[in-house]
Amino acid sequence: MGLKAVLLNFSGVIIRDEALHRQSLEELLLEENLSPTLSDYVQVCRGRSHLACLIDLWQRQGRVLTPAQQQQLLRRQHQRYGQALARLEQLPLYPQVGELIGRIQGAQIKIAIVSGTSEQAVEWVLNRVGWRGVDRIIGGEAASLGGSRPAPDRYLLALQRLNQGFPDLSLQARDCLAVEASCTGITAAQRAGIPVIAVAHYYPYQIIHRRANWVIDHLGELDLDWLQAYYSGETLPSSLLQGKVG
């Protein structure tokens, strides 16, 4: 058995880009002569796909979008988000994320990125920072609106695509670890049957510690040796079984 795959969320785990998403949405709202009040951004958008976020924000403004309008707005938002990223001299990556990806690869564990952000934007970031060897990217385009978090669709799709690419892996949900930062993301992974480590990037430890299997304050606390032992069913010191890894 053992840990076979780590599934990382993008926004909130790899990159601190919430301000960029908010800015692109605010600009779109203004262009559509709608109020740029985004006080409900966290409730509507955090941890969810860009499409689901757009539809819900427009509905709260009294607008119903046709499928064609949805796709047109989505393309505009992706373009604005990508342009905002490209203007940054330094990407707002979370500390130690590069080291974590290197440790996962060094342990011969598969890596997938599961995100509501577009696959193109995720690939652009990975290429810019020179991270090679991410095995699969499941972007916001990969699931229908009904599959937006907290639905488990993108996590189930990640399992499917990893098994298609690596059939000898015989991957099941219990062989994986999801690393999430949002409450909706935690719920989505759990609904797919995947154990979750929550990292306290969005919310304080005391808010999310009851939602996930384990909680860490930062990515440097993620202990792969401990996790491998846990997934292999080895006996572990009781002091490490209190919900926090590290």
Side-chain angles (χ1 to χ4, degrees):
M1 195 177 164
L3 178 60
K4 297 181 180 180
V6 174
L7 313 180
L8 299 165
N9 187 226
F10 185 68
S11 298
V13 171
I14 291 176
I15 190 168
R16 188 186 289 108
D17 62 352
E18 192 168 61
L20 300 180
H21 288 304
R22 287 193 186 212
Q23 178 184 345
S24 65
L25 287 168
E26 181 174 325
E27 291 172 354
L28 285 178
L29 284 163
L30 286 170
E31 288 176 359
E32 297 296 316
N33 295 315
L34 297 174
S35 170
T37 302
L38 296 177
S39 59
D40 52 3
Y41 176 90
V42 171
Q43 178 183 354
V44 173
C45 298
R46 182 174 284 175
R48 302 180 70 219
S49 73
H50 290 186
L51 179 58
C53 174
L54 283 168
I55 291 173
D56 283 0
L57 283 177
W58 259 247
Q59 285 179 341
R60 291 185 178 215
Q61 298 273 348
R63 298 276 190 92
V64 177
L65 297 171
T66 66
Q69 290 172 326
Q70 293 171 14
Q71 293 305 313
Q72 195 252 7
L73 283 170
L74 188 63
R75 285 192 295 271
R76 286 163 59 189
Q77 188 197 5
H78 285 170
Q79 182 180 29
R80 289 182 178 280
Y81 173 77
Q83 290 171 344
L85 278 177
R87 287 194 296 266
L88 297 175
E89 292 185 10
Q90 184 173 354
L91 294 176
L93 303 175
Y94 282 99
Q96 299 179 295
V97 63
E99 292 87 340
L100 173 61
I101 289 175
R103 286 191 284 120
I104 295 169
Q105 292 174 331
Q108 303 299 305
I109 297 170
K110 301 301 180 188
I111 301 177
I113 294 176
V114 181
S115 176
T117 302
S118 72
E119 183 174 330
Q120 182 180 11
V122 174
E123 289 179 341
W124 185 90
V125 169
L126 297 181
N127 289 333
R128 176 164 167 178
V129 298
W131 292 339
R132 304 287 185 264
V134 171
D135 298 293
R136 292 293 181 272
I137 298 172
I138 310 300
E141 313 93 330
S144 66
L145 175 61
S148 180
R149 298 176 183 185
D153 297 42
R154 276 197 293 278
Y155 275 107
L156 295 173
L157 185 59
L159 292 176
Q160 177 186 332
R161 290 188 178 175
L162 283 169
N163 275 319
Q164 289 172 345
F166 308 96
D168 293 340
L169 201 61
S170 300
L171 189 66
Q172 298 185 50
R174 65 173 181 267
D175 306 324
C176 301
L177 172 72
V179 184
E180 275 286 355
S182 70
C183 295
T184 52
I186 292 168
T187 301
Q190 290 177 331
R191 288 181 179 177
I194 299 171
V196 184
I197 280 184
V199 58
H201 287 164
Y202 283 149
Y203 304 103
Y205 172 89
Q206 57 268 28
I207 290 180
I208 55 174
H209 80 282
R210 292 185 179 180
R211 294 179 178 266
N213 299 80
W214 309 281
V215 180
I216 53 179
D217 289 313
H218 55 81
L219 295 172
E221 290 184 335
L222 199 154
D223 188 334
L224 284 178
D225 291 335
W226 187 93
L227 286 164
Q228 281 286 30
Y230 176 86
Y231 276 74
S232 298
E234 297 177 18
T235 302
L236 297 168
S238 59
S239 62
L240 293 180
L241 296 175
Q242 304 304 314
K244 187 168 183 177
V245 174

